[in-house]
Structure formats: structure tokens, C-alpha cells
Amino acid sequence: MQKPMKLGILTCVLLCVLGLFLLSNNVTGAAKQTLTAGYSKAAPTGLDDPLWGKIKPLEVPFDGKEIFAGKKTAVTTKAVFTDNEIYFWFNWKDATLSVTKEAWKFDGQAWSRLKGDEDRLSLLFEINRINNFATKGCAVTCHVPPGAPNAKEGKFGTATDAEKGDLWHWKAARSDPAGYADDGYLAKISDTKGGRKGDAGKGGDKQNMTADKSKPMYMLAPGKKLAKNNILLAADAVEIADYSVFKTGDVVTSRMPMAAEGSFGDIKAVSRYADGAWTVILSRKLDTGHDDDVTFNPQKKYSFAMALFDDSKDQDSYDSEVLTLEFKK
Amino acid sequence: MTEAQSETTEQEPLFAAAGGGLAILLKVEVPADAICWHRFFGAMQLALLCLLFLSGGLMAFAYTPVPGTAYDSVDYFQFSLPLGNVVRGLHHYAWNLLLIVMGLHLLRALILGAYKAPRQIVWISGVAFFLVIPLFIITGDLLPWDQKGYWSTQVRFSIIASIPVVGDFLVQLFRGGSLTGIVALTRLYVLHILLLPCALVLLIGLHLYFLATRGISGPLSDDEIPRPKALFMPTIVNRWLALFILTAIGMGLVAWHWPAALGDPADPTDSAFIPRPEWWVLFLNQLVAIFKGPFMVLGSAIIPGGLVFLLGALPFLDRSPERRPSKRMGVMVAAAVVLAAVTVLSVMGYVEHFVRPEH
Amino acid sequence: MLENKVSISRQTAVENQFQISRRAFLTTSVLAGGAVVLAAIPMVSIVVLPSLKKGTGKWVDFGKADKLPPDDFSMLSYEFMTKDGWIDLPQRGFVWAKTDAKNGVKVFSSTCSHLACNVIWNRDTRMFECPCHTGRFDPDGLPVAGPPKKPLFLLPHKVEEGKILVHITL
């Protein structure tokens, strides 16, 4: 009586294995790139952590639009997750380090703005499912509602209240020197307002400008040092008492990065510009507990898309196709 | 004594009937040869069907048949509810395994001639499962409203539509219109969780009733030796319960480690998505692909339909009381040819869709 | 002892025959119990546990507190998105804010304490009027006429950075 029972159980196990083998091939044929986040018990210590060498990179192609139309670029992307955090690693070629963001320049007589923007990288995830985002990517969040002001937040948003995106915005001049990427979200676009919103909390940058908009208002406080790429942080600034200290050719930051607080400061950034390429790490808690952030569940897959701004305005960008993020222990 | 008597007389009629039923069940005896490894497939199928009913019932608690929202609800079930992942995985693996076990169950009955008199009706009711179970899969696949389910359904609809005369009507009936939208989803949902389960329960009842009245096939020997008996209750019941528990735990662990896939939400405008056929329809897909143009119906309806018909008619085509496989070479060879054809077509389909998927 | 004898004497011969396998029957009960428990675990986690979650409510910002007209009643309308299981749905409604120079601000729920219609402040009669069953409440939210027996529900509120926040429970 025992033998048939054992045989039965054996058959059952064999069937399960067979079934699993058949099912493991049951993947679907969508032409979508997948970024696989590897697991690490310890968090990567920085840009040079040997851990990054062990992670399989994904070469993500980007297509330029507007002033970059017809141009192509690529970003090498890696991801690692620990028990409670996720780290994205990006590397892309950029011939110029652009962190000017219309800084003030003194010509000996008067102050003027330097021409030049900054390098930026942005990521969009779904907090609540955005219709067809998983297949069409950021294209579905571009709207030009009738009569919309073509302003900073004018074109970008979701179509309904139920759809919500998580927007990560790394800015080489305005957020990176303070160690953050701006954490925002994407909500419904209306006739008058765009859908780009900042998460709850404080952060971003502080305008360095006098009331009459003719010259900077703040300078480096005594005893402090300029941050990375000679950017003046809001925390290190002091009001200018005597403008005579400035010499011809002096440059002062016009948008001073602030230390972020609350949900706005969920995304930490580390970066380096060297040898004609940017290397950036963005990290965040898997679950921030904030309802304006996507919650990463390592069992799940996520759709996301990226955009790269090379010293350019919002409409001039290189965009990636939509990608899949998956986690593998 | 008096107390006991009064108790008996006060028993409710319903209670008495239930007690009577239990007493009858306690007396049921089954030939002891029912307990052998190649007869375990039937019990396994019952265990799998129970798991499918339980997991399906639970999934229905967090499901809304609305395009888009359906995906959200399945996503919520799988990733936000505790054990949701296990239950959905269980449902997924259970139906895949069920198809395999059903095939083996059929093969055993075919090889050992279990379809012969007086068990023809048991065989026929068994073949009927092969018509009902695929309907479950066809209707269930669309429910998560993901890319794979949506586009597989579109492919299936176009195959059904190729059936002459009734094809288009059948598809319209499934969809409730010309779109695969909320009406179609609701129809398939009602079929999947209400009408088909009713049909299935009825079929299981019939199959088991015929099995009980016609008896299970005996050992392959000519001598009329009396077969030893085993008690249905508790011997068979205990074994089945143990099998159920083992299957549930085993498959639950599998589902926990390898979660059922949930692809991207369906995008009806994304016709670039090419669904890969599932393993069990690879041979059917290949059949459909072989016959092109006006002959498509040959592959999509006539050959598979004919095979199922032949399978059902087998007890009447092979009427000799001989049950030993070595003495029934005709049937054995025919079965081997069909099996080989299915295998070859499946491998062809596998190569076409999974090894060289560039088309 | 006596009862035992009685019960045995009631057994028919056939039933007696199966009495021997009482142990096996016990096994059946244990196995069946196991199967039931196994099925009940996901039932609890999927059906029962999520239903025990309480609505948390939300502090809704109604803008500057000093913009409310003094010594008057104003209707404060709100709309925000709430997660209902797997879907985000808008919640719409309004509350009544009573500004009183002496006693400060009070916020009344607009839900009638009778059958949950929305009450409307009538400036002329100086009463909250319920359109459904002609319930009337005085400016303090106490029922004065009609079927309502309980006063209007007072909602917790606070003023932060000059903004009035009202706690709306769902």
C-alpha cells in the first residue's frame, strides 16, 4: 500500500516540474527593454562601489526631439535594490558640463545673466495606472489642451484624476549640488494648468535676485565653500552687504539648491562629471509611505520612461521608449 | 433507554436523511485495485478542480470586469492582499497542471481499454471535459486585461471566426458586439465564473455517477477472481484528502516562489504586440498555420473537431471486449500516430514562436 | 457507562462492522480539518482582514481662515481623490463653517442626523434645513423640528499657518 502512494507523490512532483518547465517559457513577445534590478544586502557606497561592476547594464537608446530632432544618444542604466532601498545608476556621454542655469556675471559695471541652461535627467513611473503608459510611454502624458499656456507645466499631465505618475527630476545645477533629485508627481492636466506637481515638503531652488531683478541678492557666506561645480547652496548663502567686493568676471549662482525636506526630498543623488560623461546615482526607499510616490514591490514589474535634457529647455529633450523595471533576488 | 428512544423520535427528517446518506456512504466499497499509481490521475484532477474553485472564488472577491480597472483589481489582488500572490499563482498553475493530468488520465483509459462495455458512457462523459476545460481557459485569459490575455483572445476570436457559417455568429455571441471591450469582458466573466462552473460541476457529477454505477475497470486478466475490496470511507477519502493537502501546499509554495505573470495592461491600440501561444495550443496553432486561406477551417475546426469526435466515438469503433494493449494494435498505433503528430506540431510551434520569434 | 451500552445496542449489525475503523475515521476528521484550515487561511487574509481596515479620514485644507465671513455660515466644498480598494475615486461634499466672533469657528457636517440628506443653511430663517423630511436645526446644530433627534455632527478642525483644516472622515 505504501509503494503506490510513493509512486503517486513522485508522479505529482514530476508533473509539477514538467509544468514549471513549460511555463517558464511562457513569456510574451513585446519588444520592450527590461532593466533588472539586482539584489544586494548592503547598499552601494557610491559611484565607485565594485558592486556596480557586477550588475548587468542596460543600454537604453534615446531619440532627440525639437532642437535635437534626428539626433540619438544612449544612457547606460543599472539598478540595485536592498531590503528597503533602490539605487539607479546612469552613465551617459555629454561633451559639455552644463550647470550655468543663467548665472549672474559681473562685467565691472553691471550684472547680467549668462546664457546657458543645465543638464537634466528625468524618470517617470506610475503611481496609479496611466492609461497605455506601459505600451506608449511618456507620449500619453503629453497634451496640449486648447488654450493651455505653453508654460513650464503646460503640456505635461495625465488625462484623468485616477491616473497619477511619479516624476523624478535630477538637475545638474539646481538639485544635484544639494544631493537630491526633485521628487514630483504628475496629475491631471486642466485647461489652464499643467499636471506637473511637486511632492509635499520643501526643496528645489531659491532665486538669487534682488527685488528689482537687476543683480544677485546673496553671496557665499564667510567660512563656507562653494559646492560641487562651483554652485552656491542656499544654506551657504548670505545677503550681499557690499557689492564692491565683486571683481570683473565674477560669476554668482542664480538658482541656489536647497536641502529638501519631506516627500519632496525622497530621492537622493550622487554624481560626477568626468571624461566627457555624467555618472549619476539616484536612490530612494522602496516604500516611502507617501501617497505621491510609487511604491516598489520587488515581486512586481514596473513601467517607466526617461528623458535627458542636454543644456536645454523642457521641450527640447532626448526621450527613451517605455521600459520595464523588474527585481531579481 | 427511554431517553434514547425519545431522542430518535425527535430527530428532524432532514437530519435523519443526512444520517442515512452518511450510513450509505459508510457502506460503499471500492475494488482495492482502485488504489494504484496510474489511477491517481482522477483523484488528482478532483484535487486540482477543488483548488481552482477555491482560488477562483477568492479572486472573485477582488475583481471588477471593467477594461483597465480589471487590471488594477488583479494587480491589487496579487500584490496588495496578503497571500493574493499565492492564490492567483495557484489558480494559474492548477489549470496548467490539470491539462497535463487530464491528458494522462485519458491516455491511461485508452491504453488499458477502460472505455469498453459497460463503461462507454464513463468515457464519453470524460471526453466532454476536453470541450469544457478549454472554454474556461479562453474565457479566463481575458479577465486580467493584460496584453497577453487581450491579444490571445483576439487571435482566438479570429480563429473561431474562420469556422464557416457559424464562426462570425459565435464570436459576436462571445463578445456581445463587434468590440472586445466591457461587454465582451462581462460576458466572458459570467461564463467563466458562473455558467461554465455550473456545467463543470454537472459534468463531474455525471462522470462520477457513471463511474459508480458502471464500476471501475478491473485488472487485465481473464480469470474471474473475486477482487479484494476497500472501504470508500475512510480509505479512499483519507487518501484523497492527503493528496489535496499535499497538492495545495506544494503548489502554494511553487506559486510563492514563481509568481504568476501579470503583463502590461492591455492596450487595444497596440497591434504591434504579438501574443505567443500557450504550450497547450501550440499544436492547434500550428495546424491553423499549416492550412492557409480557404483551407484554414480544416486546421481550425475540422481536424480538431474530428479528433474529438473520433475520441468520443472510440467505444463504438473498438467494440471487442479485448482490453490488453498488445491485442489492440490498431487502436494503439492510431493513438501513437495522433500523439506523435501533436508532439511534432507542438515542437514545430515551440520552435517557431519561442526559439526564433522574429516575425 | 449506561449511555454507552444504550448507544451500542442501537447500532445495527452493519454499522457495528464499521465501528472498528473509528481510528481511521479520526484520521479523516484530522485530514478534513487540515484541508478546511488550509482553505480558510487565504479566505481570512483576502476576504476578512482587508474588511477590518478602518477609514482614516483626511485633513482637508479650505484656505485662509480669516477669509471666512465673520458671524456667518459658509459652505465649504471639497473634492479629493480617495483609494477605494484598487481604484482612485473622487470624494465630493461640503461642510458648514460657522464663524462666531465670541466662540470662534465651528464646523458642522452637512449630513442630516436623521437619514443622511445634506442640510442647507437658510439665511432668512436662520436654520439648517433638511430638504428630505423637513428636519430643522438651529444655528448651534441642535434639532428643533422634524424627525431628527440628534444634533448635527461637529467636525474637528484646526488652523495651521492661517489655513483652516477640517478633518473629513470617509
Side-chain angles (χ1 to χ4, degrees):
Chain A
M1 280 298 171
Q2 283 303 310
K3 205 180 154 205
M5 194 72 181
K6 277 180 192 157
L7 267 168
I9 292 165
L10 194 69
T11 321
C12 173
V13 170
L14 279 175
L15 284 174
C16 288
V17 172
L18 178 71
L20 263 178
F21 171 74
L22 288 164
L23 289 170
S24 64
N25 293 304
N26 189 13
V27 283
T28 45
K32 211 170 147 188
Q33 280 189 303
T34 299
L35 174 65
T36 306
Y39 176 75
S40 164
K41 192 134 192 81
T45 49
L47 294 162
D48 301 313
D49 193 313
L51 174 68
W52 291 113
K54 292 180 210 151
I55 303 296
K56 203 175 149 237
L58 180 75
E59 192 81 358
V60 183
F62 281 63
D63 280 327
K65 60 176 196 193
E66 298 293 331
I67 65 162
F68 301 125
K71 288 189 183 174
K72 283 183 194 303
T73 187
V75 175
T76 310
T77 312
K78 296 176 189 179
V80 160
F81 72 108
T82 64
D83 289 325
N84 44 32
E85 280 182 312
I86 183 161
Y87 292 81
F88 289 95
W89 182 96
F90 305 99
N91 177 273
W92 71 96
K93 287 206 173 67
D94 187 342
T96 51
L97 164 70
S98 318
V99 288
T100 313
K101 198 64 199 173
E102 292 153 359
W104 292 105
K105 190 177 180 178
F106 187 58
D107 66 357
Q109 305 279 306
W111 292 87
S112 62
R113 298 277 198 160
L114 285 173
K115 290 236 168 356
D117 212 295
E118 66 181 323
D119 294 329
R120 290 181 283 148
L121 175 72
S122 71
L123 278 77
L124 180 64
F125 297 90
E126 291 171 289
I127 299 175
N128 291 332
R129 185 177 49 83
I130 299 171
N131 207 18
N132 295 348
F133 177 75
T135 45
K136 304 263 188 331
C138 287
V140 298
T141 58
C142 274
H143 304 272
V144 185
N150 195 5
K152 148 177 179 232
E153 49 175 24
K155 279 191 188 174
F156 203 31
T158 64
T160 62
D161 280 323
E163 298 164 287
K164 204 168 167 190
D166 192 5
L167 201 58
W168 298 21
H169 200 168
W170 175 85
K171 301 164 173 173
R174 288 174 294 163
S175 78
D176 180 61
Y180 295 95
D182 289 358
D183 190 359
Y185 66 96
L186 199 64
K188 189 189 165 186
I189 195 164
S190 73
D191 284 350
T192 49
K193 285 195 90 178
R196 239 173 85 186
K197 310 272 158 71
D199 280 8
K202 288 195 177 100
D205 59 88
K206 193 174 170 187
Q207 288 273 6
N208 184 9
M209 194 162 65
T210 51
D212 62 357
K213 300 182 179 177
S214 66
K215 52 184 183 282
M217 193 169 170
Y218 301 95
M219 62 185 279
L220 188 67
K224 303 274 183 180
K225 272 190 186 158
L226 289 175
K228 187 162 48 178
N229 300 325
N230 295 325
I231 301 284
L232 169 63
L233 298 182
D236 301 335
V238 67
E239 221 166 300
I240 302 169
D242 176 15
Y243 282 89
S244 65
V245 299
F246 292 102
K247 299 189 292 288
T248 305
D250 274 356
V251 171
V252 175
T253 305
S254 71
R255 307 280 292 266
M256 305 178 295
M258 296 193 290
E261 286 170 28
S263 185
F264 194 90
D266 287 327
I267 307 159
K268 307 276 182 292
V270 184
S271 78
R272 176 170 60 212
Y273 180 83
D275 308 323
W278 273 109
T279 309
V280 175
I281 293 178
L282 300 182
S283 62
R284 210 203 71 181
K285 278 186 183 162
L286 289 170
D287 181 4
T288 60
H290 302 133
D291 60 4
D292 41 22
D293 289 318
V294 57
T295 304
F296 291 114
N297 173 350
Q299 285 195 309
K300 230 172 124 166
K301 289 179 183 175
Y302 295 84
S303 291
F304 75 105
M306 299 189 276
L308 200 61
F309 303 85
D310 181 13
D311 198 18
S312 61
K313 298 257 174 285
D314 282 349
Q315 65 273 20
D316 306 317
S317 63
Y318 292 95
D319 294 357
S320 81
E321 298 272 305
V322 65
L323 302 137
T324 301
L325 170 68
E326 64 168 21
F327 300 80
K328 209 159 224 161
K329 275 223 170 185
Chain B
M1 190 72 193
T2 47
E3 216 180 313
Q5 264 176 343
S6 67
E7 245 175 50
T8 326
T9 48
E10 273 171 28
Q11 269 182 350
E12 295 286 324
L14 193 72
F15 189 75
L22 194 69
I24 291 168
L25 206 61
L26 279 171
K27 280 179 250 172
V28 172
E29 286 183 330
V30 179
D33 53 71
I35 304 162
C36 70
W37 70 271
H38 54 84
R39 280 196 199 272
F40 127 102
F41 301 129
M44 184 75 186
Q45 284 173 84
L46 195 62
L48 289 172
L49 285 169
C50 285
L51 283 175
L52 282 166
F53 271 89
L54 283 170
S55 54
L58 284 173
M59 285 200 287
F61 272 100
Y63 181 76
T64 40
V66 179
T69 311
Y71 181 89
D72 300 335
S73 66
V74 174
D75 181 283
Y76 175 83
F77 182 89
Q78 184 164 0
F79 298 111
S80 299
L81 288 176
L83 290 182
N85 197 12
V86 172
V87 173
R88 181 158 183 263
L90 219 93
H91 200 74
H92 175 72
Y93 289 113
W95 74 252
N96 278 284
L97 197 55
L98 179 68
L99 285 177
I100 298 173
V101 181
M102 271 172 74
L104 294 172
H105 190 66
L106 180 96
L107 207 62
R108 190 208 78 91
L110 184 80
I111 292 171
L112 296 183
Y115 54 82
K116 306 228 160 181
R119 278 171 288 278
Q120 304 97 321
I121 189 74
V122 183
W123 170 266
I124 293 167
S125 60
V127 170
F129 281 94
F130 285 84
L131 298 173
V132 175
I133 298 295
L135 282 177
F136 268 101
I137 300 169
I138 292 173
T139 53
D141 213 9
L142 185 69
L143 301 189
W145 201 256
D146 63 347
Q147 284 280 73
K148 181 182 138 280
Y150 182 85
W151 291 105
S152 303
T153 305
Q154 295 297 74
V155 170
R156 285 184 197 128
F157 280 162
S158 67
I159 291 174
I160 296 172
S162 78
I163 300 170
V165 192
V166 289
D168 281 322
F169 172 71
L170 275 178
V171 172
Q172 295 286 90
L173 204 61
F174 261 122
R175 284 199 299 221
S178 54
L179 289 170
T180 307
I182 191 162
V183 179
L185 184 57
T186 308
R187 284 194 175 203
L188 295 193
Y189 175 63
V190 166
L191 278 170
H192 190 80
I193 74 153
L194 184 70
L195 300 182
L196 287 172
C198 289
L200 187 63
V201 167
L202 195 72
L203 204 53
I204 295 169
L206 277 176
H207 195 59
L208 292 179
Y209 172 75
F210 291 139
L211 185 72
T213 50
R214 302 293 171 100
I216 66 165
S217 58
L220 293 178
S221 72
D222 297 328
D223 341 317
E224 288 283 317
I225 43 158
R227 294 155 83 182
K229 300 274 181 185
L231 287 171
F232 176 72
M233 185 100 171
T235 314
I236 304 285
V237 170
N238 279 6
R239 275 162 187 276
W240 185 83
L241 283 170
L243 177 70
F244 175 81
I245 291 173
L246 278 175
T247 315
I249 293 176
M251 295 188 54
L253 288 173
V254 168
W256 176 263
H257 270 273
W258 294 281
L262 180 64
D264 287 331
D267 178 357
T269 62
D270 178 37
S271 49
F273 187 90
I274 300 159
R276 291 184 183 176
E278 272 156 4
W279 63 270
W280 64 280
V281 283
L282 276 171
F283 74 100
L284 282 176
N285 258 62
Q286 217 49 30
L287 261 182
V288 174
I290 285 170
F291 299 99
K292 295 211 161 64
F295 300 107
M296 191 177 168
V297 65
L298 217 59
S300 66
I302 294 177
I303 294 179
L307 273 179
V308 173
F309 178 78
L310 278 180
L311 212 55
L314 188 62
F316 309 104
L317 299 173
D318 175 25
R319 272 189 284 195
S320 73
E322 180 56 62
R323 284 184 49 222
R324 275 169 297 188
S326 56
K327 298 278 170 67
R328 293 158 48 234
M329 281 323 274
V331 174
M332 289 299 108
V333 168
V337 167
V338 171
L339 204 62
V342 167
T343 312
V344 167
L345 284 171
S346 294
V347 170
M348 276 168 66
Y350 184 82
V351 169
E352 186 177 326
H353 292 284
F354 291 90
V355 184
R356 313 181 278 109
E358 71 281 350
H359 55 262
Chain C
M1 277 306 279
L2 184 74
E3 276 171 17
N4 241 342
K5 268 183 200 163
V6 169
S7 68
I8 288 166
S9 70
R10 275 174 57 216
Q11 305 276 336
T12 63
V14 185
E15 277 169 337
N16 252 335
Q17 185 192 331
F18 294 104
Q19 184 108 43
I20 305 156
S21 57
R22 181 165 271 173
R23 225 184 118 105
F25 192 80
L26 197 71
T27 317
T28 309
S29 322
V30 170
L31 284 170
V36 168
V37 167
L38 217 55
I41 293 169
M43 178 71 91
V44 168
S45 78
I46 284 162
V47 181
V48 182
L49 286 185
S51 19
L52 300 180
K53 261 189 207 155
K54 287 208 169 70
T56 42
K58 187 181 166 93
W59 284 99
V60 180
D61 180 356
F62 286 104
K64 293 274 178 222
D66 48 18
K67 278 203 179 154
L68 294 175
D71 283 312
D72 199 0
F73 290 80
S74 35
M75 183 199 270
L76 303 177
S77 302
Y78 60 85
E79 179 181 335
F80 54 86
M81 304 297 286
T82 311
K83 195 122 217 151
D84 182 6
W86 47 90
I87 191 171
D88 260 24
L89 288 173
Q91 299 286 328
R92 295 187 189 91
F94 58 88
V95 294
W96 288 104
K98 178 191 183 191
T99 36
D100 187 324
K102 255 187 259 166
N103 304 316
V105 180
K106 263 185 183 175
V107 182
F108 294 104
S109 161
S110 66
T111 308
C112 177
S113 61
H114 174 222
L115 287 172
C117 291
N118 281 323
V119 296
I120 304 291
W121 172 251
N122 188 324
R123 229 172 262 272
D124 306 322
T125 58
R126 290 197 61 77
M127 265 194 277
F128 286 109
E129 294 178 354
C130 180
C132 296
H133 305 97
T134 63
R136 298 284 182 270
F137 300 86
D138 72 4
D140 289 316
L142 298 171
V144 286
K149 294 281 174 285
K150 287 182 211 152
L152 284 177
F153 193 70
L154 267 177
L155 296 171
H157 72 277
K158 59 185 178 186
V159 178
E160 266 177 16
E161 296 173 1
K163 287 172 178 171
I164 182 156
L165 300 171
V166 180
H167 194 255
I168 312 264
T169 36
L170 299 166

